[in-house]
Amino acid sequence: AQTVTQSQPEMSVQEAETVTLSCTYDTSENNYYLFWYKQPPSRQMILVIRQEAYKQQNATENRFSVNFQKAAKSFSLKISDSQLGDTAMYFCAFIPVGGSQGNLIFGKGTKLSVKP
Amino acid sequence: AAGVIQSPRHLIKEKRETATLKCYPIPRHDTVYWYQQGPGQDPQFLISFYEKMQSDKGSIPDRFSAQQFSDYHSELNMSSLELGDSALYFCASSSWGRSSGQASDTQYFGPGTRLTVL
């Protein structure tokens, strides 16, 4: 079975500082995609960043970057220069490539609070 | 850019009633997914459709059914509602990888329908 684990239920960070959210996953697949989604208090699910498993280069989107370690099955999210609007629940998600299965498998989430 | 549209945004029903949730995917997206998110939970996959055919099935109760129509919009029908069905229901859409013949990678979510069963 494929699983995604987020070991930090809650985290907090001061505005303008950097924070890293952890995610590990378990799969026997060799090709897959990994995502971080953000869910603010409005509960909208917003795509933050995507990583393709066959790419060694870590994905970056403005203040958001990932540290993808395929052998360790680790996929952490780093938020630089944290802003109050980054306060949200962050979900790590996995999807294998191939076949008809296309549903995302989510971790339990990490609640991030950015403090002024 | 156009996003996924869901209606209604909020719905209140009594136990044993029925509910229909609608989803309009991003234009040119041919794959639709339904997820259920209970309070304090991560989203759980219910069912998906590609080109109007069911492509995958998750933990969807037998009381629920869904379909995708010729214009690619999808409806989730829920009957004999129970208190435990109270949740946020997301629809997400993506485009199937036509060259690879594989499920596409990125799913874009709608704003969700908040269902409350009293």
Side-chain angles (χ1 to χ4, degrees):
Chain A
Q2 293 151 356
T3 59
V4 176
T5 302
Q6 294 178 248
S7 59
Q8 305 150 316
E10 292 191 40
M11 293 190 72
S12 65
V13 63
Q14 291 296 130
E15 197 175 6
E17 293 189 344
T18 296
V19 65
T20 299
L21 281 62
S22 301
C23 172
T24 58
Y25 58 94
D26 188 23
T27 182
S28 58
E29 300 282 343
N30 189 51
N31 197 12
Y32 46 86
Y33 296 103
L34 293 160
F35 304 87
W36 281 96
Y37 282 90
K38 166 186 176 181
Q39 189 174 40
S42 66
R43 301 200 73 187
Q44 170 82 47
M45 289 291 283
I46 301 167
L47 176 68
V48 175
I49 201 165
R50 182 189 87 172
Q51 176 76 44
E52 294 142 353
Y54 63 87
K55 288 188 177 179
Q56 292 189 339
Q57 186 174 3
N58 289 324
T60 299
E61 287 288 343
N62 300 314
R63 298 182 295 107
F64 298 87
S65 62
V66 299
N67 183 5
F68 173 49
Q69 301 290 328
K70 190 173 183 180
K73 294 181 181 174
S74 171
F75 182 62
S76 60
L77 175 69
K78 184 172 82 172
I79 305 174
S80 304
D81 186 26
S82 297
Q83 301 176 358
L84 296 178
D86 295 334
T87 292
M89 182 72 84
Y90 286 81
F91 289 99
C92 178
F94 164 96
I95 189 170
V97 175
S100 64
Q101 181 187 357
N103 58 287
L104 289 163
I105 301 164
F106 288 91
K108 296 299 182 186
T110 295
K111 185 177 182 181
L112 177 68
S113 298
V114 179
K115 301 184 184 303
Chain B
V4 177
I5 297 172
Q6 290 188 247
S7 67
R9 294 292 306 277
H10 302 273
L11 192 58
I12 299 175
K13 291 288 185 179
E14 299 280 342
K15 280 173 54 177
R16 292 180 288 278
E17 286 190 325
T18 61
T20 298
L21 280 54
K22 296 184 179 183
C23 170
Y24 297 86
I26 292 172
R28 291 181 296 281
H29 279 192
D30 49 22
T31 308
V32 168
Y33 308 82
W34 287 97
Y35 293 86
Q36 177 192 59
Q37 186 180 29
Q41 304 288 318
D42 56 298
Q44 295 294 312
F45 171 69
L46 293 177
I47 196 167
S48 62
F49 292 88
Y50 165 64
E51 287 288 349
K52 293 145 283 187
M53 298 290 289
Q54 180 182 308
S55 57
D56 201 5
K57 193 172 182 180
S59 51
I60 185 169
D62 292 339
R63 300 177 289 108
F64 294 5
S65 65
Q67 58 182 324
Q68 186 180 30
F69 295 85
S70 57
D71 63 351
Y72 296 104
H73 94 272
S74 178
E75 295 183 3
L76 178 65
N77 299 293
M78 310 160 72
S79 63
S80 302
L81 287 169
E82 301 173 357
L83 296 178
D85 295 329
S86 294
L88 186 59
Y89 290 83
F90 284 109
C91 171
S93 76
S94 70
S95 58
W96 193 272
R98 296 187 188 282
S99 59
S100 64
Q102 297 173 339
S104 179
D105 54 325
T106 303
Q107 296 179 24
Y108 297 91
F109 283 74
T113 294
R114 185 181 298 277
L115 172 66
T116 302
V117 181
L118 301 175

